[in-house]
Each structure stands twice: as C-alpha cells, then as structure tokens.
Amino acid sequence: EAQVTQNPRYLITVTGKKLTVTCSQNMNHEYMSWYRQDPGLGLRQIYYSMNVEVTDKGDVPEGYKVSRKEKRNFPLILESPSPNQTSLYFCASSFEGASTDTQYFGPGTRLTVL
Amino acid sequence: ELKVEQNPLFLSMQEGKNYTIYCNYSTTSDRLYWYRQDPGKSLESLFVLLSNGAVKQEGRLMASLDTKARLSTLHITAAVHDLSATYFCAVDTAGGGADGLTFGKGTHLIIQP
C-alpha cells in the first residue's frame, strides 16, 4: 500500500530534550516536506527536500533541522525543543514538487513540549 | 508574500442545501489545490487545478479556478452529513523562493441532518 508513515504519532517531552520525528514514504517520491499545523493558522511549511542531500527552508524553519540521506526517509529533528513548538506535524511527499504534483500527507505527529 | 484567504472559516449548514467556499490568493499562480481533513486525521487531496478556467467535480463537490481573479471556489451540492470536515485550499509558492504550498486557514464545515 502506497503511504507516508510518521513516528511517533504522539509525543510529550520537556524543553531542551532533543527529539526526532521520522517520516518514510514507499512511493519513490523525490519531493518531501514537513508542515506544522496550528489552530487558526492552517499549515505552514518548515523544510522541504527536492531529492537526496537536497534540502531547503520553508516558511518557519527556526528551531528545526532535517536530513535526506535516503530517498524514502526525511526525519525532522528538534535539537532543543521549546513550548512554542507544540504543534501537529505532517510530513508530505510527491513525485516532482509541491507545485507540480499532488502531495500525499502522513498521518501526523502530535507533539507537546512542556 | 503570498497570502491565501478562505471564506467562510466556519460554516454550519443543513443537509440538502448548496453552498460555496471561497479561496482568494494575493499573487499570480496557476496552481491551486483543495484538501479535506477529518477531525484527528491527515489531509486528503480532493482537487488539483492547474490552469485558468479549470473545473473539476467529484460527487457533490465541484472546484473551479479563475487565475485572473485569483479566486477558487469549492461548491457543495445537496450537502450530506459525510461531507462534514475542514477544507483547505493551498496555492503554490512559485516565485517566492521556496518550493511549497501556502495554505489557507481552512473552512470548518458542519452539515446537520
């Protein structure tokens, strides 16, 4: 089954404790991206990747890191999480790019930073 | 900076009625996307509109795009309870320096029996 998976689905952590949210897709998509969703703000892009070893900032990259060592994986890293990073996070992927192809979204990761 | 505005943000309607959700955006773009999100769930792609005048229909939903007016509409015909969800439009950020979508804030739609 074609899908985008994220882990964990739910996470409660404390300020400053490094964490990684994994994202994996099995559709051989070149493009992957991370969004955060906050009430009243819709979805905002954090980082995106056009292919292996090619990543770039989205609209709200501060406090986040990403890597793309393999085509299928695009982990989101929070080196020192803060309460303002409490949010619902979505990973997405597509064949070519966000503006040329439909993006497929993962199930979401709900993160709470205390 | 690309801005995407949806109207209304909240909509409660009765089954059987028709209604339209509007999506305005601030800069030139030829590509617009509609997504559906159920409570606690991920986003599901509904429509991809890739040119001026594009119209797509799926069941009781029909989406259209007017790039000259920078406007897309999502029309609901004879609404049923199963269409209750939050609907997002999104516009590509081509020319903005980043490859991604700018989303509207979403329209929370409740359809009552």
Side-chain angles (χ1 to χ4, degrees):
Chain A
E1 179 189 353
Q3 60 183 351
V4 179
T5 57
Q6 294 178 226
N7 282 290
R9 295 289 311 282
Y10 302 90
L11 178 60
I12 300 174
T13 189
V14 296
T15 298
K17 187 176 181 180
K18 181 179 178 180
L19 66 91
T20 299
V21 183
T22 65
C23 172
S24 183
Q25 50 90 8
N26 62 1
M27 296 170 278
N28 202 35
H29 285 167
E30 290 86 10
Y31 180 92
M32 298 183 76
S33 64
W34 277 102
Y35 294 87
R36 61 178 289 175
Q37 183 178 22
D38 301 290
L41 296 178
L43 281 86
R44 294 176 292 168
Q45 190 185 48
I46 303 170
Y47 268 94
Y48 65 95
S49 169
M50 301 296 284
N51 214 322
V52 175
E53 302 292 359
V54 181
T55 64
D56 208 344
K57 297 177 181 178
D59 295 321
V60 288
E62 293 77 21
Y64 304 95
K65 287 174 57 178
V66 292
S67 69
R68 187 89 181 273
K69 293 182 169 55
E70 304 167 287
K71 197 172 186 180
R72 63 168 45 227
N73 296 323
F74 190 44
L76 180 69
I77 303 156
L78 285 73
E79 294 271 3
S80 182
S82 61
N84 64 13
Q85 292 177 298
T86 293
S87 187
L88 178 59
Y89 291 86
F90 288 101
C91 179
S93 72
S94 64
F95 271 114
E96 294 185 355
S99 61
T100 56
D101 197 10
T102 300
Q103 290 193 66
Y104 296 85
F105 283 80
T109 295
R110 186 166 293 280
L111 172 66
T112 302
V113 182
L114 301 174
Chain B
E1 179 189 350
L2 175 60
K3 294 189 189 311
V4 181
E5 292 188 356
Q6 286 183 238
N7 285 290
L9 296 181
F10 297 96
L11 176 58
S12 179
M13 57 191 291
Q14 288 185 315
E15 280 191 328
K17 300 290 187 182
N18 304 333
Y19 210 82
T20 301
I21 299 171
Y22 297 90
C23 176
N24 291 92
Y25 52 97
S26 61
T27 63
T28 302
S29 176
D30 291 333
R31 300 179 179 90
L32 190 134
Y33 304 77
W34 283 97
Y35 289 88
R36 169 181 172 148
Q37 185 179 36
D38 292 301
K41 302 293 186 181
S42 186
L43 280 80
E44 173 192 357
S45 177
L46 293 175
F47 300 109
V48 180
L49 303 169
L50 297 178
S51 62
N52 186 41
V55 177
K56 291 196 174 179
Q57 183 165 3
E58 180 74 32
R60 300 174 188 274
L61 299 178
M62 183 173 72
S64 66
L65 177 62
D66 181 344
T67 58
K68 294 179 182 176
R70 298 176 187 170
L71 171 69
S72 179
T73 60
L74 180 66
H75 186 72
I76 303 158
T77 301
V80 293
H81 178 69
D82 286 351
L83 290 178
S84 296
T86 299
Y87 293 86
F88 291 94
C89 65
V91 180
D92 80 88
T93 57
D99 186 86
L101 298 177
T102 297
F103 283 80
K105 293 184 178 180
T107 296
H108 184 54
L109 174 63
I110 298 173
I111 299 171
Q112 299 174 342

